Amino acid sequence: MEEVPGKPLRHGYTTGSCATAGAKAALVALIEQAPQTHVHIRIPIGETVEFALHSCTFTELWGEAALIKDGGDDPDATHGAEIIVRVSFRAEPGAGIDGGIGVGRVTKPGLPVEIGQAAINPVPRKMIRETVQEVLDHYEIVHGVDVLVSVPAGEEIAKKTLNGRLGILGGISILGTRGTVVPFSSAAYKASVAQAIRVAVKCGCKHLVLSTGGRTEIFGINMYPELPEEAFIEMGDFVGFSLIQAQRQGIRKVTLVGMMGKFSKVAQGVMMVHSKSAPVDFGFLAQVAIESEASDALVEEIRGANTASQVGDLMASTGNLRYFERLCERCNLAGLEEVARDGFDFIETAIISMKAELLGKSAMVKRSENGEMAYE
């Protein structure tokens, strides 16, 4: 995609939002025995959005709706995919949710969905359940529904993703936490980060807390409640870019807050941490485990792990918090290398879990007597 200078990039919608919209349209078509052309749903960031349907059919037993997934101005592998949702009544209340053709099935641990289940992540499942329940309540229907999500081209699309390596077989995943697809890989997002840093500097901020997303930013705010709101900046995947911008604009004190997946890459010196930028190096994570005096069995388990999050869970379950401290130390060193060794007077890294619990933290400060950075 070629960007137009000064023109904001258009957000798209996640596969989870499309599946939710399809579920609602299919259910309404089944109840009313009438085809639907458009549907409105509420997405996790609080907005109500409208989806145009590609098709909508029904019988007395089921309703079915199809949408074309729109990735906005930063399309991913699923951009343009047809997502089909079929809904049928069942005696039990609530919504049973499963994947059909083209939706992958989980075969390895370390993912937010149990082995054997369709790769429909927790937030989309929640969106679908809540949305269909609202429809059932509106029509005063006491029984529940079965929801089947299919992506006809999903198995082919999945070849362009990491699903196979993650053990998600047979198709794509139904994803999304915000409901929208944000163009993170664009120059526009980088420009917004640089602008946020400039605003912070103009507001007198001396210490910036750079986070990879919403949950990590909230954790950073709780770490430093005394800092003004301008000091907290969502850098997204652009760790190196954000550090360089902060250093260039005179910031001498930075804190990085992130989770295992992205910060396991930063620890190796990878400063653009999008999932497509570089795979997780489980050999590296195993080496850090060795340095943390983990058992040989645990080291081997890490080498064969499925996700960095799974590695974090393994180490946390054994109480080896030194492991996370070592990763944080390496993140600090990698950050200093990115901006030149004298770029900051203080650099700190905190790694948190998916449940926003602190796993490890480490800081380095410049000693005034010799100007060298040392662990605090």
Side-chain angles (χ1 to χ4, degrees):
M1 180 205 64
E2 183 178 350
E3 294 182 15
V4 178
K7 182 181 178 182
L9 294 179
R10 184 174 60 87
H11 289 195
Y13 295 101
T14 62
T15 47
S17 289
C18 293
T20 302
K24 181 175 181 179
L27 179 54
V28 173
L30 172 60
I31 294 169
E32 295 187 351
Q33 289 291 285
Q36 308 297 303
T37 58
H38 293 76
V39 66
H40 292 83
I41 66 166
R42 188 173 180 83
I43 59 176
I45 59 173
E47 296 178 3
T48 297
V49 295
E50 181 182 64
F51 289 82
L53 303 180
H54 180 59
S55 66
C56 183
T57 57
F58 60 91
T59 70
E60 292 183 354
L61 299 177
W62 50 260
E64 186 174 279
L67 300 90
I68 304 299
K69 199 260 192 181
D70 180 3
D73 281 335
D74 190 30
D76 61 11
T78 61
H79 178 67
E82 183 182 31
I83 297 176
I84 302 174
V85 186
R86 177 172 288 199
V87 175
S88 55
F89 288 128
R90 68 177 190 179
E92 301 86 357
I97 302 169
D98 202 358
I101 293 173
V103 174
R105 197 141 307 254
V106 176
T107 66
K108 292 183 180 180
L111 297 168
V113 177
E114 295 293 326
I115 290 175
Q117 291 189 353
I120 303 173
N121 271 20
V123 171
R125 286 177 182 270
K126 183 172 184 286
M127 290 172 65
I128 293 170
R129 282 197 304 269
E130 291 179 350
T131 300
V132 299
Q133 190 60 53
E134 288 175 2
V135 174
L136 292 171
D137 291 345
H138 175 76
Y139 286 92
E140 299 182 348
I141 296 172
V142 295
H143 46 259
V145 293
D146 285 317
V147 179
L148 185 70
V149 182
S150 301
V151 183
E155 190 164 5
E156 190 64 28
I157 294 170
K159 295 176 183 178
K160 303 174 185 177
T161 73
L162 295 174
N163 273 18
R165 187 179 64 79
L166 295 174
I168 300 171
L169 304 182
I172 67 168
S173 302
I174 304 299
L175 304 171
T177 55
R178 295 170 47 89
T180 58
V181 177
V182 182
F184 280 116
S185 62
S186 68
Y189 189 79
K190 291 167 75 174
S192 71
V193 172
Q195 180 62 48
I197 294 172
R198 284 194 291 271
V199 169
V201 171
K202 288 185 179 295
C203 290
C205 296
K206 306 296 184 184
H207 178 188
L208 296 187
V209 180
L210 306 174
S211 60
T212 54
R215 278 180 290 182
T216 51
E217 182 180 59
I218 291 171
F219 190 90
I221 291 170
N222 291 331
M223 283 178 67
Y224 291 102
E226 73 278 8
L227 294 181
E229 63 179 354
E230 293 84 4
F232 301 95
I233 296 170
E234 281 193 42
M235 62 182 170
D237 296 322
F238 301 103
V239 180
F241 174 83
S242 302
L243 288 171
I244 290 169
Q245 289 297 310
Q247 189 266 340
R248 286 178 178 174
Q249 295 186 45
I251 294 295
R252 304 295 298 177
K253 186 175 183 179
V254 296
T255 294
L256 304 174
V257 187
M259 297 184 186
M260 271 292 294
K262 295 183 187 297
F263 276 17
S264 67
K265 297 179 184 181
V266 175
Q268 301 171 68
V270 176
M271 289 291 156
M272 200 295 178
V273 294
H274 190 278
S275 61
K276 296 178 182 177
S277 66
V280 175
D281 186 341
F282 293 100
F284 167 79
L285 294 180
Q287 179 58 41
V288 177
I290 292 171
E291 296 170 8
S292 306
E293 300 182 350
S295 67
D296 291 344
L298 189 55
V299 169
E300 287 308 306
E301 196 168 355
I302 289 172
R303 292 188 196 280
N306 191 32
T307 64
S309 178
Q310 182 186 2
V311 174
D313 290 343
L314 287 170
M315 297 307 292
S317 67
T318 64
N320 192 333
L321 300 184
R322 176 60 180 152
Y323 180 78
F324 301 105
E325 292 174 7
R326 287 287 295 164
L327 283 177
C328 291
E329 289 167 5
R330 289 186 180 233
C331 289
N332 291 336
L333 291 171
L336 290 174
E337 289 293 332
E338 188 74 3
V339 299
R341 300 288 291 195
D342 62 347
F344 296 118
D345 295 331
F346 173 95
I347 184 167
E348 175 184 47
T349 299
I351 295 178
I352 68 172
S353 71
M354 294 290 286
K355 296 179 180 179
E357 297 168 340
L358 181 66
L359 295 174
K361 184 171 67 169
S362 176
M364 297 183 73
V365 297
K366 182 170 289 186
R367 301 303 185 190
S368 57
E369 58 269 19
N370 57 18
E372 291 292 321
M373 297 293 288
Y375 292 112
E376 192 173 38

